[in-house]
């Protein structure tokens, strides 16, 4: 459909639980409700989940209760340790009937995804790690890039849900979805830094930063980051869409995974340190394009 609204065809056979109703979880769960899925939701702060009541969601008191009403459980949680806790200590895995499927759309370490898959398999449950890219804008529009790792059969079981939320791609076995997300975040973080540094140098030299962004937009430097984040930099609009702290977490996960693989990643390492220093300077709650603020500070341009 051209307007990116959910397919109105009823999806009543899809019983889905969404665990974690934050910046991404809310619009994604809402799309599932609007597509006709039977949706149960849980969040540590119940009030966030209750925002979905007008859309027909059932608000559960525990992860296990939400999972018990579903065939597919989607997790959208802060990190791998929280996913582990919600699945195995707070009862989500125990609440899901044998043969059910866990789709972890959080951004966690690949080795954690592989560990979760193994433990879920011992309980008779499937697992797909399927982190996303596209931010809240993509979540609202149903245009997320979904990077999925796991068995092909489980990916196909999840496809009807994925296609309500965006564009899914099966990239390999368990953990491969998380590897793809790390690749995405490495490219995003490094490119944000390149755009910020280049635009700031132009401003320091007397050029109009906004006009420079326009001038180079049609050449090889063109990118989504230049378009979207570059405009935020020009406008000094760092309202949080994707947090600096989350970008830093992902860069650190990339460096941890590189170390586990014996892979040298010097460029990612440099930008991990830059994001860390920016957060230390107090911009952690701003949008990840606010790396611009740290580079401006270093150059006396704040």
């Amino acid at each position: 459909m051209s307007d990116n609204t959910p397919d109105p065809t009823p999806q009543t056979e899809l019983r889905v639980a969404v665990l974690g109703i934050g910046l991404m979880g809310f619009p994604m769960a809402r799309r599932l409700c609007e597509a006709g899925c039977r949706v149960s939701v849980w969040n540590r702060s119940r009030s966030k989940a209750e925002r979905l009541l007008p859309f027909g969601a059932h608000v559960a008191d525990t992860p296990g209760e939400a999972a018990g009403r579903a065939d597919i459980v989607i997790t959208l949680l802060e990190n791998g340790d929280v996913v582990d806790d919600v699945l195995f200590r707070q009862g989500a895995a125990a609440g899901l009937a044998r043969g059910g499927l866990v789709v972890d759309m959080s951004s966690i370490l690949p080795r954690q995804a592989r560990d979760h898959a193994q433990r879920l398999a011992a309980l008779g449950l499937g697992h797909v790690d399927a982190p996303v890219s596209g931010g809240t804008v993509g979540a609202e529009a149903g245009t997320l890039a979904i990077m999925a790792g796991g068995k092909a059969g489980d990916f196909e079981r999840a496809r009807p849900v994925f296609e309500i939320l965006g564009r899914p791609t099966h990239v390999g076995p368990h953990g491969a979805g998380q590897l793809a997300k790390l690749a995405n975040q490495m490219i995003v973080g490094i490119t944000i830094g390149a755009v910020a540094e280049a635009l700031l140098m132009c401003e320091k030299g007397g050029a109009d930063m906004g006009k420079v962004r326009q001038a180079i937009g049609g050449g090889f430097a063109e990118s989504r980051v230049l378009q979207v984040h570059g405009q935020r930099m020009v406008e000094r609009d760092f309202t949080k869409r994707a947090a600096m702290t989350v970008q830093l977490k992902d860069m650190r996960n990339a460096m941890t995974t590189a170390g586990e693989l014996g892979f040298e990643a010097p460029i990612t390492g440099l930008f991990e340190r830059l994001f860390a220093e920016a957060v230390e300077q107090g911009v952690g709650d701003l949008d990840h394009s606010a790396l611009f603020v740290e580079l401006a500070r270093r150059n006396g341009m704040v």
Side-chain angles (χ1 to χ4, degrees):
M1 299 178 66
S2 60
D3 60 358
N4 287 324
T5 55
D7 188 331
T9 303
Q11 297 283 353
T12 53
E13 75 278 6
L14 292 177
R15 301 192 311 149
V16 185
V18 181
L19 311 181
I21 310 300
L23 285 174
M24 297 293 287
F26 175 76
M28 292 167 71
R30 184 179 64 194
R31 285 192 65 85
L32 293 171
C33 289
E34 292 172 343
C37 299
R38 294 166 57 186
V39 180
S40 299
V41 295
W42 171 85
N43 194 73
R44 182 178 58 183
S45 302
R46 184 183 173 92
S47 60
K48 291 185 177 181
E50 288 176 343
R51 295 177 296 161
L52 289 158
L53 285 171
F55 301 96
H58 169 81
V59 177
D61 290 323
T62 66
E65 180 195 342
R69 300 171 63 93
D71 302 307
I72 297 176
V73 170
I74 294 175
T75 50
L76 285 155
L77 301 166
E78 183 178 358
N79 56 51
D81 291 339
V82 176
V83 174
D84 191 280
D85 181 63
V86 168
L87 286 178
F88 301 109
R89 282 181 284 281
Q90 294 196 48
L96 187 59
R98 191 174 182 87
L101 178 64
V102 172
V103 178
D104 184 12
M105 304 187 85
S106 319
S107 295
I108 70 174
L109 288 166
R111 63 169 162 78
Q112 291 176 313
R114 292 190 293 269
D115 174 66
H116 295 164
Q118 184 176 20
R119 292 159 67 188
L120 289 166
L123 299 173
L125 302 172
H127 173 273
V128 176
D129 53 292
V132 302
S133 180
T136 55
V137 173
E140 290 164 1
T143 57
L144 292 169
I146 303 170
M147 300 151 269
K151 295 180 179 178
D154 288 335
F155 173 77
E156 292 302 326
R157 289 171 62 195
R159 184 188 287 277
V161 171
F162 288 154
E163 290 184 343
I164 295 168
L165 303 174
R167 175 180 56 82
T169 304
H170 184 214
V171 296
H174 295 297
Q178 297 298 343
L179 278 170
K181 178 60 185 285
L182 290 181
N184 182 87
Q185 294 305 92
M186 290 162 71
I187 293 168
V188 168
I190 291 166
T191 308
I192 285 173
V195 170
E197 189 168 275
L199 293 181
L200 280 165
M201 188 182 75
C202 290
E203 183 172 270
K204 187 84 168 181
D208 183 315
M209 192 167 69
K211 295 294 186 183
V212 170
R213 175 184 160 277
Q214 292 178 21
I216 65 179
F220 281 170
E222 178 66 278
S223 70
R224 182 71 173 157
V225 169
L226 178 64
Q227 291 175 4
V228 176
H229 299 78
Q231 186 62 29
R232 294 174 192 171
M233 295 170 192
V234 170
E235 296 173 354
R236 266 60 169 189
D237 175 12
F238 302 113
T239 303
K240 182 169 65 175
R241 289 89 162 179
M244 284 285 290
T245 51
V246 174
Q247 182 69 51
L248 175 58
K249 178 203 74 172
D250 290 336
M251 299 299 269
R252 285 176 168 165
N253 281 350
M255 290 306 296
T256 297
T257 300
E260 291 170 354
L261 295 172
F263 179 79
E264 186 176 353
I267 299 172
T268 302
L270 169 61
F271 279 91
E272 182 272 325
R273 292 190 294 275
L274 288 171
F275 276 100
E277 290 169 16
V279 170
E280 289 169 5
Q281 290 295 322
V283 300
D285 287 333
L286 299 182
D287 187 74
H288 56 172
S289 57
L291 184 61
F292 178 95
V293 176
E294 169 61 14
L295 295 173
R297 182 192 67 80
R298 290 171 174 238
N299 285 283
M301 299 172 68
V302 177

Coordinates of all heavy atoms in Angstrom, one line a residue, residues 145-195:
A145 N 14.2 -1.8 8.4 CA 15.0 -2.9 7.8 C 15.2 -3.9 9.0 O 15.6 -3.6 10.1 CB 16.4 -2.3 7.4
I146 N 14.8 -5.2 8.7 CA 14.8 -6.2 9.7 C 15.9 -7.3 9.3 O 15.8 -7.9 8.2 CB 13.4 -6.9 9.8 CG1 12.4 -5.8 10.2 CG2 13.5 -8.0 10.9 CD1 10.9 -6.3 10.1
M147 N 16.9 -7.4 10.1 CA 18.0 -8.3 9.9 C 17.9 -9.6 10.7 O 18.0 -9.5 11.9 CB 19.3 -7.6 10.2 CG 19.5 -6.3 9.4 SD 20.5 -5.0 10.2 CE 19.2 -4.1 11.0
A148 N 17.6 -10.7 10.1 CA 17.2 -11.9 10.9 C 18.2 -13.0 10.8 O 18.7 -13.4 9.7 CB 15.8 -12.4 10.4
G149 N 18.5 -13.6 12.0 CA 19.3 -14.8 12.1 C 18.6 -15.9 12.7 O 17.7 -15.7 13.6
G150 N 18.8 -17.1 12.3 CA 18.1 -18.3 12.8 C 17.8 -19.3 11.7 O 18.3 -19.2 10.6
K151 N 17.0 -20.3 12.0 CA 16.7 -21.3 11.1 C 15.7 -20.7 10.0 O 14.8 -19.9 10.3 CB 16.0 -22.5 11.8 CG 17.0 -23.2 12.7 CD 16.2 -24.4 13.4 CE 17.2 -25.2 14.3 NZ 16.5 -26.3 15.0
A152 N 15.8 -21.2 8.8 CA 15.0 -20.6 7.7 C 13.5 -20.9 8.0 O 12.7 -20.0 7.7 CB 15.4 -21.3 6.4
G153 N 13.2 -22.0 8.6 CA 11.8 -22.3 8.9 C 11.2 -21.3 9.9 O 10.0 -20.9 9.8
D154 N 12.0 -21.0 10.9 CA 11.5 -20.0 11.9 C 11.4 -18.6 11.3 O 10.5 -17.9 11.7 CB 12.5 -20.0 13.1 CG 12.4 -21.3 14.0 OD1 11.3 -21.9 13.9 OD2 13.3 -21.7 14.6
F155 N 12.3 -18.3 10.4 CA 12.2 -17.0 9.8 C 10.9 -16.9 9.0 O 10.2 -15.9 9.0 CB 13.4 -16.8 8.8 CG 13.3 -15.6 7.9 CD1 13.5 -14.3 8.4 CD2 12.9 -15.7 6.6 CE1 13.4 -13.2 7.6 CE2 12.8 -14.6 5.8 CZ 13.1 -13.3 6.3
E156 N 10.5 -18.0 8.3 CA 9.3 -18.0 7.5 C 8.1 -17.9 8.4 O 7.1 -17.3 8.1 CB 9.2 -19.2 6.6 CG 10.2 -19.2 5.5 CD 10.1 -18.0 4.6 OE1 9.0 -17.5 4.4 OE2 11.1 -17.5 4.1
R157 N 8.1 -18.6 9.6 CA 7.0 -18.5 10.6 C 6.8 -17.0 11.0 O 5.7 -16.6 11.2 CB 7.3 -19.4 11.8 CG 7.2 -20.8 11.5 CD 7.7 -21.6 12.7 NE 7.0 -21.4 13.9 CZ 7.4 -21.7 15.1 NH1 8.6 -22.3 15.3 NH2 6.6 -21.5 16.2
A158 N 7.9 -16.3 11.1 CA 7.9 -14.9 11.6 C 7.6 -13.9 10.5 O 7.2 -12.8 10.8 CB 9.2 -14.5 12.3
R159 N 7.7 -14.4 9.2 CA 7.6 -13.4 8.1 C 6.3 -12.6 8.1 O 6.3 -11.4 7.9 CB 7.7 -14.2 6.8 CG 7.7 -13.2 5.6 CD 7.7 -14.0 4.3 NE 9.0 -14.6 4.0 CZ 10.0 -14.0 3.4 NH1 9.9 -12.7 3.1 NH2 11.1 -14.6 3.1
P160 N 5.1 -13.2 8.4 CA 3.9 -12.4 8.4 C 3.9 -11.2 9.4 O 3.4 -10.2 9.1 CB 2.8 -13.4 8.8 CG 3.3 -14.7 8.4 CD 4.8 -14.7 8.6
V161 N 4.6 -11.4 10.5 CA 4.7 -10.4 11.5 C 5.8 -9.4 11.0 O 5.5 -8.1 11.0 CB 5.2 -10.9 12.8 CG1 5.6 -9.8 13.8 CG2 4.1 -11.8 13.4
F162 N 6.9 -9.9 10.5 CA 7.9 -9.0 10.0 C 7.4 -8.0 8.9 O 7.7 -6.8 8.8 CB 9.1 -9.8 9.4 CG 9.9 -10.5 10.4 CD1 10.6 -11.6 10.0 CD2 10.1 -10.0 11.7 CE1 11.5 -12.3 10.9 CE2 10.9 -10.6 12.6 CZ 11.6 -11.8 12.2
E163 N 6.5 -8.6 8.0 CA 6.1 -7.8 6.8 C 5.1 -6.7 7.2 O 4.9 -5.8 6.5 CB 5.5 -8.7 5.8 CG 6.6 -9.5 5.1 CD 6.2 -10.4 4.0 OE1 5.0 -10.7 3.9 OE2 7.1 -10.9 3.2
I164 N 4.5 -6.8 8.4 CA 3.7 -5.7 9.0 C 4.6 -4.5 9.4 O 4.3 -3.4 9.4 CB 2.8 -6.2 10.1 CG1 1.8 -7.2 9.6 CG2 2.1 -5.0 10.8 CD1 1.1 -7.9 10.7
L165 N 5.8 -4.9 9.8 CA 6.7 -4.0 10.5 C 7.8 -3.4 9.5 O 8.3 -2.3 9.8 CB 7.5 -4.6 11.6 CG 6.6 -5.2 12.7 CD1 7.4 -6.0 13.7 CD2 5.7 -4.1 13.4
G166 N 8.1 -4.1 8.4 CA 9.1 -3.6 7.5 C 9.5 -4.6 6.5 O 8.8 -5.4 6.0
R167 N 10.8 -4.5 6.2 CA 11.4 -5.3 5.1 C 12.4 -6.3 5.7 O 13.5 -6.0 6.1 CB 12.2 -4.4 4.1 CG 12.9 -5.2 3.0 CD 13.6 -4.2 2.1 NE 14.5 -3.3 2.8 CZ 15.7 -3.6 3.2 NH1 16.3 -4.8 2.9 NH2 16.5 -2.7 3.8
P168 N 12.0 -7.6 5.8 CA 12.9 -8.6 6.5 C 13.9 -9.3 5.5 O 13.5 -9.5 4.3 CB 11.9 -9.6 7.0 CG 10.8 -9.6 6.0 CD 10.7 -8.2 5.5
T169 N 15.1 -9.5 6.0 CA 16.1 -10.3 5.2 C 16.7 -11.3 6.1 O 17.2 -11.0 7.2 CB 17.2 -9.4 4.7 OG1 16.6 -8.3 3.9 CG2 18.2 -10.2 3.8
H170 N 16.7 -12.6 5.7 CA 17.3 -13.7 6.5 C 18.8 -13.7 6.1 O 19.2 -14.0 5.0 CB 16.7 -15.0 6.1 CG 17.2 -16.1 6.9 ND1 17.3 -17.4 6.5 CD2 17.6 -16.2 8.2 CE1 17.8 -18.2 7.4 NE2 18.0 -17.5 8.5
V171 N 19.7 -13.3 7.1 CA 21.1 -13.1 6.8 C 22.0 -14.3 7.2 O 23.2 -14.2 7.0 CB 21.6 -11.8 7.4 CG1 20.8 -10.6 6.8 CG2 21.4 -11.8 8.9
G172 N 21.4 -15.3 7.9 CA 22.3 -16.4 8.3 C 21.8 -17.1 9.6 O 20.6 -16.9 10.0
P173 N 22.6 -17.9 10.2 CA 22.2 -18.6 11.4 C 22.0 -17.8 12.6 O 22.2 -16.5 12.6 CB 23.3 -19.6 11.6 CG 24.5 -18.9 11.0 CD 24.0 -18.1 9.9
H174 N 21.7 -18.4 13.8 CA 21.6 -17.6 15.0 C 22.8 -16.7 15.3 O 23.9 -17.1 15.2 CB 21.4 -18.6 16.2 CG 20.2 -19.4 16.1 ND1 18.9 -18.9 16.2 CD2 20.0 -20.8 16.0 CE1 18.0 -19.9 16.1 NE2 18.7 -21.0 16.0
G175 N 22.5 -15.5 15.6 CA 23.5 -14.5 15.9 C 23.8 -13.6 14.7 O 24.4 -12.5 14.8
A176 N 23.5 -14.1 13.5 CA 23.8 -13.4 12.3 C 23.0 -12.1 12.1 O 23.5 -11.1 11.6 CB 23.6 -14.2 11.0
G177 N 21.8 -12.1 12.7 CA 21.0 -10.8 12.6 C 21.7 -9.8 13.5 O 21.8 -8.6 13.1
Q178 N 22.2 -10.2 14.6 CA 22.9 -9.2 15.5 C 24.2 -8.7 14.9 O 24.6 -7.6 15.0 CB 23.2 -9.8 16.9 CG 21.9 -10.2 17.7 CD 21.1 -9.0 18.0 OE1 21.5 -7.8 17.9 NE2 19.8 -9.2 18.3
L179 N 24.9 -9.6 14.1 CA 26.1 -9.2 13.4 C 25.8 -8.1 12.4 O 26.5 -7.1 12.2 CB 26.8 -10.4 12.7 CG 27.7 -11.3 13.6 CD1 28.0 -12.5 12.8 CD2 28.9 -10.5 14.0
A180 N 24.7 -8.4 11.7 CA 24.2 -7.4 10.6 C 23.9 -6.1 11.3 O 24.2 -5.0 10.8 CB 23.1 -7.9 9.8
K181 N 23.2 -6.1 12.5 CA 22.9 -4.9 13.2 C 24.1 -4.1 13.6 O 24.2 -2.9 13.5 CB 22.0 -5.1 14.3 CG 21.6 -3.9 15.1 CD 20.9 -2.9 14.3 CE 20.6 -1.6 15.1 NZ 19.5 -1.7 16.1
L182 N 25.1 -4.9 14.1 CA 26.4 -4.2 14.5 C 27.0 -3.6 13.2 O 27.6 -2.5 13.3 CB 27.3 -5.3 15.1 CG 26.9 -5.8 16.5 CD1 28.0 -6.8 16.9 CD2 26.8 -4.7 17.5
A183 N 27.0 -4.2 12.1 CA 27.5 -3.6 10.9 C 26.8 -2.3 10.6 O 27.4 -1.3 10.2 CB 27.4 -4.6 9.7
N184 N 25.5 -2.4 10.7 CA 24.7 -1.2 10.5 C 25.1 -0.1 11.4 O 25.3 1.1 11.0 CB 23.2 -1.5 10.7 CG 22.3 -0.4 10.4 OD1 21.9 -0.1 9.3 ND2 21.9 0.4 11.4
Q185 N 25.2 -0.4 12.7 CA 25.5 0.7 13.6 C 27.0 1.2 13.5 O 27.3 2.3 13.8 CB 25.3 0.1 15.1 CG 23.8 -0.1 15.3 CD 22.9 1.1 15.1 OE1 22.4 1.3 14.0 NE2 22.8 1.9 16.1
M186 N 27.9 0.3 13.1 CA 29.2 0.8 12.8 C 29.2 1.8 11.7 O 29.8 2.9 11.8 CB 30.1 -0.4 12.4 CG 30.4 -1.4 13.6 SD 31.0 -3.0 13.0 CE 32.7 -2.6 12.4
I187 N 28.5 1.5 10.6 CA 28.4 2.4 9.5 C 27.7 3.7 9.9 O 28.2 4.8 9.5 CB 27.8 1.7 8.3 CG1 28.6 0.6 7.8 CG2 27.5 2.7 7.2 CD1 27.9 -0.4 6.8
V188 N 26.6 3.6 10.6 CA 25.9 4.8 11.0 C 26.8 5.7 11.9 O 26.9 6.9 11.7 CB 24.6 4.4 11.7 CG1 24.0 5.6 12.4 CG2 23.6 3.8 10.8
G189 N 27.4 5.1 12.9 CA 28.2 5.9 13.9 C 29.4 6.5 13.2 O 29.6 7.7 13.5
I190 N 30.1 5.8 12.4 CA 31.2 6.3 11.7 C 30.8 7.4 10.7 O 31.5 8.5 10.6 CB 32.0 5.2 11.0 CG1 32.6 4.3 12.0 CG2 33.0 5.8 10.0 CD1 33.1 3.0 11.4
T191 N 29.7 7.2 10.0 CA 29.2 8.2 9.1 C 28.7 9.5 9.8 O 29.0 10.6 9.3 CB 28.2 7.6 8.2 OG1 28.6 6.4 7.6 CG2 27.8 8.6 7.0
I192 N 28.1 9.4 10.9 CA 27.7 10.5 11.7 C 28.9 11.4 12.0 O 28.9 12.6 11.9 CB 26.9 10.1 12.9 CG1 25.5 9.7 12.6 CG2 26.9 11.3 13.9 CD1 24.7 9.1 13.8
G193 N 30.0 10.7 12.4 CA 31.2 11.4 12.8 C 31.8 12.1 11.6 O 32.3 13.2 11.6
A194 N 31.8 11.4 10.4 CA 32.4 12.0 9.2 C 31.6 13.2 8.8 O 32.2 14.2 8.4 CB 32.4 10.9 8.1
V195 N 30.3 13.1 8.8 CA 29.4 14.2 8.4 C 29.6 15.4 9.3 O 29.8 16.6 8.9 CB 28.0 13.8 8.3 CG1 27.0 15.0 8.1 CG2 27.8 12.8 7.2

